[in-house]
Amino acid sequence: MSSPNSATTYLAEQKKTTNKELATEWVLLEELYNEKLWNELTIKLHTFVKHPALRDEKLLLELYNQFITTFESKINPFGLVEICAVIVENIVNKDEAVAFLEKLKEKVKICDEAIWLCKVLQGQLYLEFLNDLESTKKIIEDLKDVLDQAGNVTPVHGKYYMLAAQYYRVVGQHADYYRCGLQFLGCSIDEFPKDQWPQQAFFLGLAALLGDGVYNIGELLAHPVLQSLVGTENEWLVELLRAFNSGDINKFEAMKTTWYQIADLAAHEVKLRQKISLLCLMEMTFKRPANHKTLTFEEIAAETKLPMKEVELLIMKALAQGLVRGAIDQVAGVVNMTWVQPRVLDRQQIAGMAKTLDVWMDSITDMEKLIETRAKEILTN
C-alpha cells in the first residue's frame, strides 16, 4: 500500500503532466482526498476512471496502486469494486485481471455484495475472454442460492443474471437462458441499452420456443422488450410466439416457410410440434367452462392435427409434466380435466376468461332466481 505522502506526490505530478481538462479533475480529487470526504471521493472516482483519456491499463493501475490504495479501507467496499471493475476491464492479460479481483475479494470481505460482484466480474472474464466454461459454471452455481436467499434485489442481481444467461446461451441450455434472461430484464431493464433490446428479444424468443419445460410464453409476450422486434426483420417471431401461446397450430404451420429459415428452429421441428400440441391442449382446457371440462379424443385430434393413436400419449405427457390435471377414460375415449397450469395471459385470453366469468355469473343469477321461486312455493304451501 502506498503512503499518504506518495499519494500527494502522485496527485501533484498528474496535475502537471495531464491536459487542461483532466488537470481540473485531478485538482478536485486532491481536494476531496485532503478533506477526507471519502464518500464524495468514491462517487467522483466512479466516473473519473471512465474518462476516455484514462482508458489505459498502465494509467489505471498507477491510479489504483499510487492513489486509491491509500484510502481503499476507508471507502464503501461495494463502491471500491465498482471502481476496480473499470480497471479490470482495461487489463490486457485477463489471467492477471482475475488475479487482481482475487486479491480485491480479500480487501472487501466485510461486504457480501462486494464479494458477489467480484465473483460475477471474474465469471465474465472466464466466459468472454478465457473460454473457461467450467470456472464460469462454478461461479454461477455458487452464487445462485446466495442471491436467491438475499431477501431483496441487490445491484449484483442484474449483473449475475446477465452472466448466467450468457453462459446458458453458449452451452445451449435454452430453458435456463430464458429464465435468467427474463430475470435480468426484471432487475436491469432501465439500465439495459435500448439498442440491444432487439437482439435480446430475439434470443429470448428462440429460447422460449426451444426450452424444455417453457410453457409460460405469455410472460415474454407481456414484456416491453419484445416490442423492440416490431418493424425489424425478426418481427415474425412475435407472431410465432403468439401462435404458441394460444396453441394455434394452423398459424404455426402457415409460418413454416419463415421460421424454418432459422437453423435452430428447423433442426428441432419435431420438438416444436410437440410443444405447440401441448399448448393447444392447455388452451382447449382453459377455454372450457368449469362445468364442461370433458374433452373427447376426437376433439383433441382435430385441434392438434394429431392421429387418433397419438392423442392419448399427448394427454399423458401433459399430465406427467403438470400442465393439466385430470383422468383419462380410455373406454369412452375422453379425458376429464380438472385444472390447467396458470400462465400469463394475453389480452385475447383475458377477454375469453371474462366471457367465461360472465356465463358463470349468469348461471349463479339464474340459480338464485330458481331458489327464490322454489322458496316461495315451499313457504306458501
Side-chain angles (χ1 to χ4, degrees):
M1 179 184 291
S2 299
S3 67
N5 289 337
S6 64
T8 304
T9 303
Y10 169 74
L11 290 169
E13 290 175 354
Q14 296 307 311
K15 286 188 293 181
K16 293 177 183 177
T17 58
T18 55
N19 61 53
K20 197 169 185 179
E21 179 191 353
L22 213 54
T24 305
E25 298 290 303
W26 284 112
V27 169
L28 180 56
L29 287 174
E30 185 177 32
E31 289 175 359
L32 294 173
Y33 177 76
N34 290 334
E35 293 176 20
K36 296 182 172 54
L37 297 174
W38 308 126
N39 185 53
E40 291 82 351
L41 183 56
T42 304
I43 295 170
K44 182 59 186 174
L45 278 169
H46 192 265
T47 55
F48 180 70
V49 291
K50 298 174 185 176
H51 195 287
L54 288 174
R55 304 298 275 185
D56 175 84
E57 176 182 356
K58 182 181 177 182
L59 294 175
L60 287 171
L61 285 176
E62 282 180 357
L63 173 67
Y64 176 76
N65 291 322
Q66 297 189 45
F67 181 53
I68 297 176
T69 54
T70 64
F71 58 88
E72 62 184 356
S73 62
K74 298 180 176 68
I75 67 176
N76 179 281
F78 188 81
L80 174 62
V81 177
E82 286 187 308
I83 293 167
C84 289
V86 181
I87 299 173
V88 165
E89 184 183 326
N90 287 275
I91 296 176
V92 177
N93 186 319
K94 298 307 177 184
D95 284 314
E96 291 179 4
V98 171
F100 181 96
L101 287 168
E102 200 64 38
K103 292 177 182 177
L104 186 61
K105 275 194 290 187
E106 283 300 310
K107 297 179 179 181
V108 298
K109 59 185 178 183
I110 61 169
C111 175
D112 289 339
E113 290 182 16
I115 294 174
W116 301 340
L117 182 54
C118 282
K119 289 183 177 181
V120 169
L121 293 172
Q122 286 180 314
Q124 290 172 341
L125 293 171
Y126 286 134
L127 182 64
E128 296 174 24
F129 298 99
L130 301 174
N131 195 31
D132 189 343
L133 296 180
E134 196 57 40
S135 294
T136 308
K137 179 183 178 182
K138 186 176 187 309
I139 286 173
I140 291 170
E141 291 177 345
D142 288 347
L143 286 177
K144 182 180 182 303
D145 290 339
V146 173
L147 291 176
D148 285 346
Q149 296 169 13
N152 59 300
V153 176
T154 71
V156 183
H157 278 74
K159 293 177 174 61
Y160 167 79
Y161 289 129
M162 173 54 85
L163 170 66
Q166 289 173 331
Y167 168 77
Y168 290 130
R169 185 165 66 84
V170 169
V171 299
Q173 293 178 221
H174 302 294
D176 289 321
Y177 170 76
Y178 180 72
R179 174 180 55 81
C180 289
L182 284 178
Q183 287 175 308
F184 162 72
L185 292 175
C187 295
S188 307
I189 186 66
D190 294 333
E191 302 168 14
F192 192 46
K194 287 206 171 184
D195 61 343
Q196 296 181 30
W197 283 28
Q199 183 186 58
Q200 184 75 358
F202 182 72
F203 287 148
L204 281 171
L206 295 185
L209 297 173
L210 296 170
D212 292 332
V214 177
Y215 296 98
N216 195 356
I217 297 173
E219 191 173 0
L220 177 58
L221 285 169
H223 202 288
V225 75
L226 196 66
Q227 297 310 305
S228 65
L229 292 178
V230 175
T232 71
E233 61 182 356
N234 294 318
E235 185 174 354
W236 59 269
L237 184 57
V238 180
E239 289 303 309
L240 185 61
L241 288 166
R242 286 176 181 154
F244 267 77
N245 192 52
S246 60
D248 189 344
I249 293 175
N250 290 326
K251 184 74 172 177
F252 168 69
E253 293 179 344
M255 293 184 67
K256 184 173 178 178
T257 53
T258 302
W259 60 258
Y260 204 77
Q261 295 177 37
I262 305 300
D264 282 348
L265 298 182
H268 294 89
E269 181 178 0
V270 174
K271 182 178 181 179
L272 293 173
R273 186 69 172 71
Q274 291 172 342
K275 174 175 278 192
I276 199 168
S277 296
L278 288 166
L279 284 162
C280 180
L281 179 61
M282 292 175 70
E283 190 70 9
M284 290 178 70
T285 305
F286 173 73
K287 286 180 177 178
R288 290 296 181 98
N291 59 351
H292 188 56
K293 291 287 189 185
T294 299
L295 304 175
T296 67
F297 286 10
E298 289 84 0
E299 289 173 327
I300 296 172
E303 286 282 335
T304 60
K305 296 190 174 183
L306 287 174
M308 279 290 291
K309 62 182 181 180
E310 295 182 20
V311 169
E312 188 174 355
L313 180 59
L314 175 71
I315 299 168
M316 291 173 67
K317 283 182 179 178
L319 292 169
Q321 293 188 47
L323 303 178
V324 293
R325 293 176 191 161
I328 300 173
D329 187 336
Q330 292 176 314
V331 177
V334 300
V335 56
N336 299 302
M337 297 296 193
T338 58
W339 177 87
V340 62
Q341 186 185 83
R343 295 178 292 160
V344 175
L345 306 178
D346 59 26
R347 290 183 179 180
Q348 189 175 351
Q349 289 169 320
I350 292 171
M353 186 170 67
K355 289 180 181 178
T356 301
L357 289 172
D358 287 340
V359 172
W360 186 32
M361 291 301 295
D362 289 342
S363 298
I364 292 172
T365 302
D366 292 340
M367 181 60 70
E368 286 178 342
K369 290 178 180 177
L370 178 61
I371 292 171
E372 285 179 11
T373 303
R374 293 293 173 85
K376 287 178 182 178
E377 291 177 1
I378 294 170
L379 291 172
T380 54
N381 289 334

